[in-house]
Amino acid sequence: MGGAGALRVCAATLRVRRQAGEELADDGVRGFMTGVVIRAFLSVMVAAFAVLANAVPRRASGRYANVARLCLSADSFRVSPAEKTVLDIRREAEFIAGHLPHSTSIPLCELEQRLLELPPPFQDSLTLVGGSLPDLQAAEELLVSRGWDPSERLLAATIAEHLSDVGRSVRRWRPNEFLEAVLQAYRWRLPSQGTAIDYGCGSGRDAVYLALQLQYWKVIGVDRHSKALDRAQSLAQRCGVEVELRCRDLRKSIDVTEKAHLIHGSRFLSRPLFEACRDEILADDGIFVWSTFLDTERPVAPPFRPSRRLGRDELLQLFSGDQFEVLHNSVGVLNTRGVDEAASFFACRKRRS
């Protein structure tokens, strides 16, 4: 099966409607989506059993607590059972001396700036390990205020006999899984060296992921928020990669002087930028990957303005014609502020002139 297909998603589970006439992508994408469907089925069964057994208390927010949760964010394109994240907030030297297996080290003094390195809220079970009760309480208060719900608090002194692991801190953050799936499926169609641009890169997870995956590439992250770029720079340094970060308001200024072999964006919309990518920035044989919100009659979460949301098949029409090969076009959901909003997921390749 050729690479010019679509990422197949189980519509009943992920609420992603497959577009008419689309074909399956290559074996890599097919395997990814098969795993999604299997994990989705298992997660639904686990959650349903817990509800029937009256083992799932409701929170005031309406979300389930401390059980397997369905992650319906099409930003990540996955449904996964709960995985325990062990977050160790002690000082780095204490962590190195000994910690629980598979722990992630983020000292309390750095936690607020490094929340981007945690799995999304309400996705994984979160256990805190700290050196003192005040530290554990401070960490929990910060996490709860940002949407996380720690299920356990462990005082290091009480579990000292279990702090035997001296391995490295486990990386828990993940990139946008739509980007991840497209890159895994079509990496072979990209050159060995090139330039990747992540527009609206925010705190840099996707840009850093690209730098980790695309060795010998130049990776550029663009965003108008300087503090987010500072966090992106710190993340890149911790991961040992180089990302060129540019502070720019893409709704006011677009640099078209540099060709890109991979363009990515998520949760962001600029129609002049789309046109510039189509006409000037995207190089021949380059791939364009984008996911953002669709215009609906009554959005219940931002962005509320229709101008900040895509029309149905808008990107498909924009990148139409013989010059472009559509790799994927579907409708799914993005989760924003705990609410699932309709979204477009689109990828295409620019044919060589």
Side-chain angles (χ1 to χ4, degrees):
M1 187 74 69
L7 308 176
R8 187 176 184 182
V9 183
C10 176
T13 307
L14 295 181
R15 292 177 282 165
V16 177
R17 298 196 293 270
R18 186 181 170 195
Q19 302 297 303
E22 288 182 332
E23 299 177 354
L24 287 173
D26 62 11
D27 292 342
V29 181
R30 213 166 44 237
F32 171 81
M33 290 306 171
T34 301
V36 167
V37 173
I38 293 172
R39 291 195 302 271
F41 175 77
L42 292 175
S43 295
V44 169
M45 294 301 294
V46 169
F49 177 81
V51 173
L52 291 174
N54 197 29
V56 187
R58 287 278 188 176
R59 293 177 56 84
S61 63
R63 295 186 179 90
Y64 290 124
N66 306 330
V67 294
R69 298 183 179 99
L70 296 181
C71 176
L72 295 176
S73 166
D75 178 12
S76 64
F77 256 91
R78 68 171 181 163
V79 176
S80 62
E83 300 173 358
K84 179 174 287 188
T85 295
V86 180
L87 175 60
D88 196 318
I89 61 170
R90 296 175 299 157
R91 293 192 298 268
E92 185 177 4
E94 294 175 294
F95 179 84
I96 293 174
H99 51 265
L100 292 176
H102 312 296
S103 295
T104 297
S105 174
I106 304 180
L108 177 60
C109 61
E110 302 175 13
L111 183 56
E112 186 169 8
Q113 295 300 315
R114 294 177 59 183
L115 290 174
L116 73 151
E117 297 180 40
L118 295 176
F122 305 105
Q123 179 170 310
D124 293 358
S125 174
L126 182 63
T127 294
L128 291 177
V129 177
S132 70
L133 289 176
D135 283 355
L136 286 169
Q137 183 175 358
E140 183 173 33
E141 289 176 355
L142 172 61
L143 291 165
V144 169
S145 71
R146 303 299 179 86
W148 281 273
D149 180 24
S151 58
E152 278 185 296
R153 296 190 304 174
L154 301 176
L155 192 60
T158 65
I159 57 170
E161 67 273 18
H162 301 293
L163 303 179
S164 57
D165 198 311
V166 293
R168 299 178 62 182
S169 173
V170 174
R171 191 184 82 186
R172 295 295 300 168
W173 65 268
R174 297 198 63 175
N176 177 329
E177 284 200 28
F178 179 57
L179 168 65
E180 190 176 24
V182 172
L183 187 61
Q184 288 176 357
Y186 299 105
R187 174 68 181 88
W188 63 276
R189 303 188 74 166
L190 294 171
S192 58
Q193 296 183 353
T195 297
I197 302 179
D198 184 24
Y199 287 114
C201 68
S203 297
R205 279 175 297 197
D206 295 333
V208 171
Y209 165 75
L210 289 172
L212 288 168
Q213 295 297 314
L214 301 173
Q215 296 183 19
Y216 312 114
W217 276 54
K218 177 180 181 180
V219 177
I220 301 170
V222 186
D223 201 279
R224 69 187 182 95
H225 297 287
S226 60
K227 291 184 178 180
L229 294 177
D230 290 341
R231 292 192 291 270
Q233 184 62 51
S234 297
L235 180 62
Q237 291 174 351
R238 283 191 291 274
C239 292
V241 296
E242 184 175 342
V243 177
E244 182 178 323
L245 298 168
R246 301 176 181 177
C247 190
R248 179 172 297 144
D249 188 339
L250 291 166
R251 293 192 174 94
K252 297 179 179 179
S253 174
I254 302 172
D255 182 5
V256 298
T257 61
E258 191 159 21
K259 292 286 187 180
H261 303 84
L262 177 65
I263 294 174
H264 172 257
S266 182
R267 300 171 179 264
F268 171 72
L269 183 153
S270 168
R271 290 178 173 85
L273 175 62
F274 291 155
E275 294 175 358
C277 289
R278 179 194 62 190
D279 299 334
E280 301 179 76
I281 302 175
L282 188 61
D284 289 348
D285 293 327
I287 294 179
F288 176 90
V289 184
W290 209 276
S291 56
T292 196
F293 302 99
L294 281 172
D295 190 18
T296 57
E297 291 185 5
R298 294 181 179 178
V300 295
F304 294 105
R305 284 189 281 178
S307 61
R308 298 293 175 88
R309 289 173 174 256
L310 283 172
R312 186 66 58 92
D313 288 334
E314 183 174 345
L315 289 177
L316 180 65
Q317 296 169 13
L318 185 67
F319 289 88
S320 61
D322 295 337
Q323 190 178 10
F324 295 97
E325 173 190 0
V326 176
L327 306 176
H328 180 73
N329 182 43
S330 71
V331 174
V333 292
L334 284 172
N335 188 280
T336 179
R337 299 187 182 182
V339 177
D340 290 333
E341 286 285 328
S344 170
F345 295 83
F346 180 83
C348 70
R349 171 180 167 270
K350 188 174 184 178
R351 293 189 173 97
R352 185 173 294 275
S353 314

